[in-house]
Amino acid sequence: MDLIKKLFQLFFLNCLWLICCIPVITIGGATCAAYAVALRLADDDEEVQSVRGLAARFFKALKQDFFQGILIFLFTMACGGLGYFLFDRARDYGFNLIIIAALAVYFLIALVFNMYAYPLIARYSNSFVNTLKNSVALYAMNTKVSFRTLGIVLLEIAALYFSKYIYFAGMLILPAVIFYTVSRTAKGIFFRMENPQPVEEE
């Protein structure tokens, strides 16, 4: 029953995100808002347990993080555009182990910069540059769990890509599932960061 409820919440969140992405310029803000809700869903926050509460939280976050969302989305698009350019150049020259390794390193770096940026914007007030720095720092300090989460997200992205063969059915819920997957990891990291364990004196 809890699983069904969670899936419905993610489906509804996904619908809000898709609708708010239609103007294109709002994609970044809508994604930050989706993370603001997903973080609370991961924490079983009472605020987002009802449809009304979930929608209210989403639109409040959309308004609050709109401009930061634009900046981070432009950065994400720049990373994707450069990645596509490098991939296209590599395809022209022919793939070999060195080129494949270089592309893999680039895409890993791009993902590290972006992975926690949206949850950080959804959770904290900070400058754009510091948000990117903190995203990298969080990944570096939590490499094992971050790498595992990244692997799960890549599988979810692959499922989203292949869902186009069943009339884009994956778009109805998979983006929100990705937000929730990252949010579950980010929630734990944020909690440990906000509640550091006291150091015992010897």
Side-chain angles (χ1 to χ4, degrees), residues 1-17 34 37-38 40-55 58 172-173 175-177 179-180:
M1 190 66 182
D2 288 342
L3 176 60
I4 294 174
K5 181 182 179 181
K6 189 71 71 178
L7 288 174
F8 174 76
Q9 290 170 330
L10 292 175
F11 171 74
F12 183 64
L13 173 60
N14 201 76
C15 290
L16 291 176
W17 178 77
V37 174
R40 284 165 174 75
L41 287 174
D43 205 26
D44 291 322
D45 194 315
E46 286 295 326
E47 181 185 6
V48 294
Q49 293 307 304
S50 67
V51 168
R52 183 177 180 180
L54 191 154
F58 180 90
L172 295 175
I173 193 170
V177 171
F179 303 150
Y180 183 71

Side-chain angles (χ1 to χ4, degrees), residues 60-74:
K60 181 179 180 181
L62 177 61
K63 181 180 179 181
Q64 178 179 306
D65 300 322
F66 184 76
F67 291 108
Q68 282 279 66
I70 290 176
L71 291 176
I72 192 61
F73 178 67
L74 289 175

Side-chain angles (χ1 to χ4, degrees), residues 26-40:
T26 58
I27 293 176
T31 304
C32 291
Y35 271 107
V37 174
L39 283 166
R40 284 165 174 75

Side-chain angles (χ1 to χ4, degrees), residues 83-95:
Y84 179 80
F85 174 79
L86 293 175
F87 181 82
D88 192 54
R89 293 296 89 193
R91 186 168 52 188
D92 290 341
Y93 285 102
F95 291 105

Side-chain angles (χ1 to χ4, degrees), residues 123-192:
R123 182 91 167 196
Y124 306 105
S125 295
N126 212 334
S127 69
F128 172 71
V129 173
N130 282 339
T131 295
L132 293 180
K133 289 180 179 178
N134 290 338
S135 181
V136 175
L138 289 181
Y139 195 100
M141 291 187 295
N142 302 273
T143 307
K144 186 176 180 180
V145 67
S146 296
F147 195 76
R148 182 172 66 244
T149 301
L150 181 59
I152 295 171
V153 168
L154 289 175
L155 289 175
E156 291 169 345
I157 291 173
L160 180 60
Y161 174 78
F162 287 111
S163 73
K164 68 182 182 179
Y165 296 113
I166 49 175
Y167 304 102
F168 299 95
M171 283 301 295
L172 295 175
I173 193 170
L174 278 174
V177 171
I178 293 171
F179 303 150
Y180 183 71
T181 300
V182 176
S183 293
R184 283 185 62 86
T185 299
K187 179 204 71 169
I189 293 173
F190 294 162
F191 180 82
R192 291 192 296 273

